[in-house]
């Protein structure tokens, strides 16, 4: 007779095997590069940030160990889940350069330092983060009593028709971060940005993400198309149209510029002053965090009731 604990442990085997396969493939590559002669990837010298050499190998092995532990655990262990989420975040942060690279590719303007091998390696790193994140989320669903379809654990109160005050505050913090970033750039000049087409595209994208997106997440016109939008006026805006860039850009910005702050703190060389880098990168981090918080409220406020559990 199959016990509930055994059934619960078996639910995540597919994802566990996927993480372990990733460890063998990507971790094996990191091991080969570390033990042998790793390629040089300008301008940083490595394809990953922070987790290079043996640190990258240990990170991959830790991800595999966490996936196995999550699969075998039959009860809710907050420390285990926290460790797995921390590893997921570390994998995302290590591949943080992927964000500006994706923007430059979307604009068909990759920079002169773009390297396909480094780009593929960063994609591989983020793939591991996605697999481990899914495994961690599945572990939470089966051990905390979450609904397997919607992942909810607590019955919500009356549905809010307006954003929470903390969400509005987060949106305005995001906009303030953008304004602070460009105010700092105005002090040192925009000449450097104008020399690189990929950087121009990244800055344009950040203006849209830092001004329109956070406000849309906490305004009525972020749920229903305004009257001045041709053909779509009055129609409901698909949630994913805001949630995907809200969570995606928020996480990417925090990871990229968070690692940038780490490099500034360790004294990495740069053509800009430390004061400018601290101000600009901290402002970017505020922008990313504001997007994540506002997106969370938008998700909670606009989601439909789950047909399985009614929550």
């Amino acid at each position: 007779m199959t016990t509930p604990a055994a059934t619960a442990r078996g639910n995540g085997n597919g994802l566990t095997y996927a993480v372990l396969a990733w460890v063998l493939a990507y971790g094996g590559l990191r091991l080969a590069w570390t033990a042998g002669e790793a390629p040089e990837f300008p301008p940083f010298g490595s394809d990953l940030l922070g987790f290079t050499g043996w640190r990258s190998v240990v990170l991959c092995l830790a991800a595999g160990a966490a996936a196995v532990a999550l699969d075998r655990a039959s009860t809710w262990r907050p420390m285990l889940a926290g460790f797995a989420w921390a590893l997921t975040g570390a994998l995302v942060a290590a591949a943080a350069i992927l964000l500006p690279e994706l923007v430059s590719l979307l604009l068909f303007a990759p920079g002169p330092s773009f390297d396909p091998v480094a780009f593929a390696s960063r994609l591989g790193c983020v793939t591991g983060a996605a697999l481990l994140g899914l495994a961690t989320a599945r572990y939470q669903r089966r051990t905390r009593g979450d609904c397997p379809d919607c992942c909810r654990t607590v019955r919500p109160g009356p549905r809010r028709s307006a954003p929470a005050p903390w969400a509005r505050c987060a949106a305005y913090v995001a906009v303030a971060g953008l304004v602070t970033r460009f105010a700092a750039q105005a002090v040192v000049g925009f000449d450097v940005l104008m020399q690189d087409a990929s950087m121009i595209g990244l800055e344009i994208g950040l203006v849209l993400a830092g001004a329109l997106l956070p406000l849309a997440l906490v305004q009525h016109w972020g749920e229903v198309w305004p009257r001045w939008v041709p053909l779509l006026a009055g129609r409901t805006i698909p949630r994913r149209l805001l949630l995907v860039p809200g969570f995606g850009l928020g996480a990417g910005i925090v990871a990229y510029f968070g690692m940038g702050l780490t490099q500034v703190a360790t004294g990495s060389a740069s053509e800009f002053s430390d004061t400018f880098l601290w101000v600009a990168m901290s402002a970017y981090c505020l922008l990313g965090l504001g997007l994540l918080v506002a997106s969370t409220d938008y998700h909670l406020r606009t989601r439909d009731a789950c047909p399985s559990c009614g929550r």
Side-chain angles (χ1 to χ4, degrees), residues 29-76:
L29 174 65
R30 305 305 314 182
L31 177 62
W33 281 356
T34 301
E37 185 175 352
E40 287 289 332
F41 299 109
F44 302 102
S46 176
D47 53 327
L48 301 182
L49 295 177
F51 296 92
T52 57
W54 288 108
R55 288 191 294 267
S56 66
V57 177
V58 172
L59 183 61
C60 292
L61 291 176
V68 173
L70 292 170
D71 184 57
R72 295 184 62 84
S74 58
T75 58
W76 170 241

Side-chain angles (χ1 to χ4, degrees):
M1 181 176 179
T2 303
T3 64
T7 302
R9 285 196 300 269
N11 286 341
N13 279 343
L15 280 172
T16 304
Y17 293 147
V19 174
L20 293 179
W22 172 82
V23 171
L24 288 175
Y26 189 74
L29 174 65
R30 305 305 314 182
L31 177 62
W33 281 356
T34 301
E37 185 175 352
E40 287 289 332
F41 299 109
F44 302 102
S46 176
D47 53 327
L48 301 182
L49 295 177
F51 296 92
T52 57
W54 288 108
R55 288 191 294 267
S56 66
V57 177
V58 172
L59 183 61
C60 292
L61 291 176
V68 173
L70 292 170
D71 184 57
R72 295 184 62 84
S74 58
T75 58
W76 170 241
R77 300 175 183 175
M79 291 188 64
L80 175 59
F83 177 66
W85 283 122
L87 289 174
T88 301
L91 288 167
V92 173
I97 306 175
L98 195 63
L99 175 63
E101 286 186 329
L102 288 174
V103 173
S104 66
L105 288 176
L106 290 174
L107 297 174
F108 302 101
S113 60
F114 176 81
D115 188 300
V117 177
F119 178 74
S121 175
R122 290 165 192 142
L123 279 179
C125 188
V126 171
T127 298
L131 291 174
L132 182 58
L134 289 173
T136 307
R138 175 165 292 186
Y139 164 72
Q140 292 184 176
R141 288 198 297 270
R142 67 178 173 81
T143 58
R144 294 193 310 180
D146 294 11
C147 172
D149 292 330
C150 69
C151 309
R152 300 173 198 175
T153 55
V154 181
R155 291 183 179 275
R159 181 175 293 275
R160 291 184 287 106
S161 59
W166 50 265
R168 291 187 184 276
C169 180
Y172 297 140
V173 166
V175 176
L178 178 72
V179 173
T180 303
R181 160 68 181 93
F182 281 98
Q185 189 68 53
V187 172
V188 299
F190 292 89
D191 294 342
V192 176
L193 296 182
M194 296 305 175
Q195 295 174 3
D196 191 335
S198 63
M199 287 302 298
I200 295 175
L202 176 62
E203 296 299 327
I204 293 174
L206 286 171
V207 168
L208 295 176
L212 293 180
L213 184 55
L215 294 179
L217 289 168
V218 296
Q219 299 292 336
H220 180 67
W221 51 268
E223 300 178 41
V224 179
W225 290 106
R227 289 178 297 178
W228 47 266
V229 179
L231 304 179
L232 297 175
R235 295 188 179 185
T236 300
I237 297 177
R239 298 174 67 246
R240 293 182 181 179
L241 190 63
L242 296 183
L243 288 178
V244 171
F247 282 118
L249 287 175
I253 289 171
V254 171
Y256 181 72
F257 292 103
M259 290 300 293
L261 281 175
T262 302
Q263 289 186 318
V264 174
T266 56
S268 299
S270 172
E271 59 188 297
F272 297 106
S273 68
D274 287 349
T275 301
F276 168 78
L277 291 175
W278 276 110
V279 172
M281 291 188 179
S282 297
Y284 273 133
C285 288
L286 286 177
L287 167 59
L289 290 172
L291 280 174
L292 289 175
V293 174
S295 298
T296 299
D297 176 77
Y298 185 87
H299 163 65
L300 296 175
R301 181 165 42 89
T302 60
R303 64 184 180 180
D304 296 327
C306 175
S308 298
C309 66
R311 299 175 185 172

